[in-house]
Amino acid sequence: DHPRREEILKVAVRLFSEKGYRGTRLNDVADTLGITRAALYYYFKNKEQLLVEMVREAGNQLTQNLKKILEEGSDDPVEKLRKVIYSHTIQIIERPELFTVFRAEFVELPKELRGDVTRDERAYIQSVTSLLEEAMNEGLFVHRPAMSAALAIMSMAHAVATWYRPSSGLSAHEAATLVSALCLDGLRAR
């Protein structure tokens, strides 16, 4: 990828996160970068394409990490869940603006892409649900509605973007470990 393209995306992510998709004009992106609006068109045909790239990047990042964890050798569903929650949370801590846009601007996506994102998100949640069911069936977790628990866990991971700050006294690792522990400890069989 071209460094200028990445720079444009980075600025657009920040502006979309701060002002929203509808509140951000391509002129805002160009002005922030000190380039002309016409120069933006060399890299992106319109504002919608910027949003689409952001959402795809965020979704791909989450999906690739999930797939990697699920393919690892461990048979322990609790350990896999810990890794999934930790990885998900770390990704959001490292790029809170990107994941804020991913969640908040979903409705602005073209209809066909909304369907793709929804399908990918359902598959992600289903993978987490399956791990939870496996842990419940093995007696490692108390029985709870697994799909609801998966949604609650992912909501907690996404919420880290609203409260985590590097100046909070917690490192990114400590914050992700905290989220993982709170999620898993609340489900453990006693």
Side-chain angles (χ1 to χ4, degrees), residues 77-89:
V78 176
E79 181 58 19
K80 283 185 177 180
L81 277 165
R82 187 194 64 72
K83 287 179 179 179
V84 168
I85 298 165
Y86 180 90
S87 170
H88 195 106
T89 305

Side-chain angles (χ1 to χ4, degrees), residues 71-138:
E71 290 173 353
E72 288 176 357
S74 174
D75 288 333
D76 180 356
V78 176
E79 181 58 19
K80 283 185 177 180
L81 277 165
R82 187 194 64 72
K83 287 179 179 179
V84 168
I85 298 165
Y86 180 90
S87 170
H88 195 106
T89 305
I90 280 290
Q91 290 173 76
I92 291 165
I93 287 171
E94 290 174 350
R95 306 206 45 210
E97 292 170 334
L98 176 66
F99 287 98
T100 296
V101 171
F102 180 73
R103 306 286 332 148
E105 303 300 343
F106 174 82
V107 297
E108 300 296 343
L109 291 169
K111 188 175 181 177
E112 65 278 0
L113 185 59
R114 280 197 310 261
D116 292 345
V117 171
T118 299
R119 194 170 29 263
D120 291 348
E121 201 168 52
R122 283 184 182 144
Y124 190 100
I125 293 295
Q126 185 54 54
S127 293
V128 174
T129 300
S130 294
L131 289 171
L132 286 165
E133 288 170 341
E134 187 179 338
M136 289 174 194
N137 291 337
E138 290 180 19

Side-chain angles (χ1 to χ4, degrees), residues 52-79:
V52 166
E53 294 267 338
M54 291 173 202
V55 169
R56 282 194 173 130
E57 182 179 342
N60 287 342
Q61 194 175 330
L62 291 171
T63 302
Q64 288 171 3
N65 281 338
L66 173 68
K67 186 176 179 183
K68 186 176 121 191
I69 291 165
L70 294 177
E71 290 173 353
E72 288 176 357
S74 174
D75 288 333
D76 180 356
V78 176
E79 181 58 19

Side-chain angles (χ1 to χ4, degrees), residues 8-26:
I8 292 167
L9 265 172
K10 186 176 180 179
V11 167
V13 164
R14 183 172 50 80
L15 292 173
F16 284 15
S17 175
E18 291 170 2
K19 300 164 78 171
Y21 175 77
R22 289 186 181 208
T24 304
R25 299 171 307 126
L26 281 179

